[in-house]
Structure formats: C-alpha cells, structure tokens
Amino acid sequence: MSAPEIHVEFAPELALFVAHGRRGGPTPVTTDGASSLGHVVESLGVPLTEVGALRVDGREVPRSYVPSAGDTVAVLPVARPQHIPGAPLRFLLDVHLGTLARRLRLLGVDTAYESTDIGDPALATRSATEKRVLLSRDRGLLHRRELWAGAFVYSTRPEDQLRDVLDRFRPDLRPWTRCTACNGLLKDATKEEVADRLEGGTERSYDVFAQCQECGRAYWKGAHHEQLEAIVANALAEANRPTPPAAPPRRS
Ligand SMILES: [Zn+2]
C-alpha cells in the first residue's frame, strides 16, 4: 500500500500535546494509507478526549475517515460546553487531583476520587463501569480504550483546574450538599445526632449541623468556612448562575 503524505494542523489549544516541530502551521505527516484519521491524530500524541472537529480541506470528516495523499487536516479542540450523552454528568479523578476532587464535591458535583494509585487499567475500567468522566493530567491514561469518557486537566493549579472543568462541562452546582471526604450526600442533622463525632469546643460553639449519609462525618461552620464560601461564590459567579438562597454552613 502507498504511504500518502498529508498535512496536519493542530489548533493552539492542542499544541502542548504535539512535538515542537508540529506546532504553528500545517506540518507533513506520512500515514500508512489504511489508518483512520483518529488513529493518526492520536499517534501524534493528542488524546482523542481533547479533539473536537476534524476538517479535511475545510470539510468536516468523522474520525474513521482514512486520509489520502494531499489532504490538509485541521484538528480542532473539543467544543465547550461539552455534553457527554448517555449518563448523568459525573466524574472520576485520579490520585493526583485530590484538591480538585474536594472542590468539586464542595460544589455538589458527583466526584469519585481514588486516593491511592490503583493503576491505569483499574481507573479506566471504573470510568466505564460507572460511566464517569475520567479527569487526569496523565495523557497515557486518556489514550486507554476502556475509558467511557475522559478529559485532560490542563493546569497544575487547583483554582485553574476547577475553572477549566466548570467551563468545559458546565455541571449543575449544588453547593454544600456533598461530603468532601467521600462524595456522599449530606443530610441535616441535630447536635444530638452528631454529638459523638464532635469535639467539646465544637459542640459548644456551633449548632448548625449536617451529616454525611455514607460515612457519617459531621459538618459544621468551622475555621475554614470563609475560604470555602469564597470558592463557592467564585464558582457560582463564573457559572453566571444566580446565587442560591443562603445554605446552612458546613465544615470542610
Ligand atoms: Zn462522607
């Protein structure tokens, strides 16, 4: 079979995945004449989770398209907001994204998190089994076939990570409804119900409580509350949503 040469141009958003020589304009790529365009793009280092439309000489083509000699291919980033059909939006975060996991839970976004390194195959399988969007900064993980859906986390800073994920997926925000430790849903609780989980000072000082229905952890207005309020307020403002009625305060 012949080995057609095509030209591939990546959008600036995808430049970080490709070798320096392939950034900033169409660059020649020799294909095998049989592989799909999706495969060609992936083999150049770009996880398909980050790829939106593919255009050949200005015409949109599916990932299964087999490029032929002389094609000029434009690779665009995934469109935002990104809708993933087939299940309610929920996430699975790898071991390196603990802070992001807690912030998403603080905002009421269904977020599973592996606090130990269970390995790429197990993570990908969990994504498939539970239909969760895997968030990771590990490109190799995002190439795995078993993944149900995935997304690369572009920043190393939790503030930027949160902004990026909220901008990309626009999840419904329900602040103060989830346990930041285990992702369980919170219920209102009385001081008596959570008394055995409180320290003496806490019991005296505060009387608005909630409790995780999964792990039993008690929540109350604590020392970090202002910081958490700020995270919630920022997220709601950036999502351009009206601020919900004041909710009972919770501990982190
Ligand atoms: Zn919990």
Side-chain angles (χ1 to χ4, degrees):
M1 193 167 286
S2 66
E5 186 179 88
I6 64 175
H7 284 80
V8 181
E9 182 171 22
F10 289 97
E13 294 90 334
L14 301 175
L16 76 160
F17 298 112
V18 296
H20 280 282
R22 300 194 193 282
R23 298 177 187 173
T27 57
V29 176
T30 302
T31 73
D32 61 9
S35 294
S36 69
L37 187 51
H39 181 83
V40 171
V41 167
E42 200 169 28
S43 69
L44 293 171
V46 183
L48 290 178
T49 59
E50 306 312 297
V51 172
L54 298 168
R55 293 197 185 125
V56 172
D57 299 321
R59 174 176 53 96
E60 191 160 334
V61 297
R63 291 177 180 181
S64 57
Y65 172 82
V66 178
S68 49
D71 281 353
T72 297
V73 180
V75 183
L76 303 181
V78 73
R80 296 184 178 213
Q82 180 180 10
H83 173 64
I84 297 180
L89 180 62
R90 54 196 167 203
F91 297 102
L92 169 63
L93 274 58
D94 79 12
V95 65
H96 304 293
L97 298 174
T99 302
L100 178 61
R102 286 190 295 277
R103 292 186 182 189
L104 285 168
R105 289 169 178 172
L106 175 68
L107 296 169
V109 178
D110 187 342
T111 304
Y113 167 64
E114 293 289 352
S115 61
T116 57
D117 191 353
I118 63 171
D120 289 4
L123 267 178
T125 299
R126 186 173 179 192
S127 159
T129 306
E130 301 180 12
K131 290 196 164 90
R132 290 180 178 273
V133 181
L134 180 71
L135 302 184
S136 180
R137 287 186 43 75
D138 181 341
R139 302 168 197 196
L141 186 49
L142 295 177
H143 283 298
R144 296 196 74 89
R145 292 278 169 254
E146 316 92 289
L147 271 191
W148 183 70
F152 185 72
V153 173
Y154 285 80
S155 176
T156 56
R157 298 180 64 240
E159 300 77 31
D160 296 334
Q161 291 173 343
L162 182 63
R163 193 176 301 118
D164 181 31
V165 171
L166 297 182
D167 176 68
R168 177 165 175 170
F169 293 101
R170 295 292 180 96
D172 290 333
L173 303 184
R174 297 186 184 87
W176 318 110
T177 60
R178 277 186 191 274
C179 177
T180 55
C182 85
N183 194 42
L185 289 170
L186 302 183
K187 63 178 172 70
D188 292 337
T190 64
K191 186 182 292 189
E192 289 69 33
E193 285 171 317
V194 297
D196 59 338
R197 294 174 180 272
L198 300 176
E199 293 149 22
T202 307
E203 188 170 0
R204 279 195 302 277
S205 308
Y206 307 109
D207 54 15
V208 179
F209 295 90
Q211 188 171 26
C212 174
Q213 300 182 53
E214 297 294 328
C215 74
R217 183 178 170 133
Y219 285 78
W220 64 92
K221 184 168 182 171
H224 302 295
H225 192 68
E226 281 183 19
Q227 186 190 345
L228 299 181
E229 287 274 18
I231 292 171
V232 168
N234 284 339
L236 292 173
E238 290 197 23
N240 204 18
R241 293 178 171 88
T243 305
R250 306 279 193 262
R251 196 190 68 158
S252 64

